[in-house]
Amino acid sequence: MLVTRLLRIERAGGWYHLTTRGNERRPIYRDARDCRHFCELLAELVPRFHLRLHCFVGLGKSDQQRVRAGVSPAPESARVGERIAAL
């Protein structure tokens, strides 16, 4: 029996808890420079997609973000988690 995950509901002003994990529990970043680069990209993503980043925790092998979509987000702000995962 094939079970698919439920469709993620995304709405304006919605709160999202996002996680990023390394494959096979390996570190996400190669080094400190790589981590800084991710943070720089994340900083660009927030205003570009009308998000509010309330919390970011970098744990080496996983990251967690708490973001809120804009009150009236532009269409491109949909799929918040996928945008951050693509960094």
Side-chain angles (χ1 to χ4, degrees):
M1 181 171 129
L2 179 64
V3 179
T4 60
R5 74 173 174 87
L6 296 175
L7 181 63
R8 182 175 308 155
I9 298 172
E10 299 196 11
R11 60 188 177 90
W15 287 92
Y16 301 93
H17 178 200
L18 310 171
T19 59
T20 308
R21 292 193 176 101
N23 292 334
E24 300 174 353
R25 298 184 181 196
R26 288 182 284 176
I28 297 173
Y29 311 113
R30 290 181 292 256
D31 52 29
R33 181 175 174 233
D34 193 34
C35 180
R36 281 191 303 273
H37 181 65
F38 175 84
C39 291
E40 290 167 359
L41 292 174
L42 185 60
E44 291 175 16
L45 181 90
V46 170
R48 181 177 176 186
F49 294 107
H50 311 284
L51 304 173
R52 294 182 190 159
L53 179 65
H54 289 267
C55 177
F56 173 80
V57 179
L59 302 171
K61 294 184 180 182
S62 68
D63 287 339
Q64 298 190 23
Q65 301 93 27
R66 179 91 166 133
V67 298
R68 185 172 187 194
V71 175
S72 54
E76 65 270 9
S77 69
R79 299 180 176 243
V80 173
E82 289 178 20
R83 302 241 181 235
I84 291 178
L87 295 178

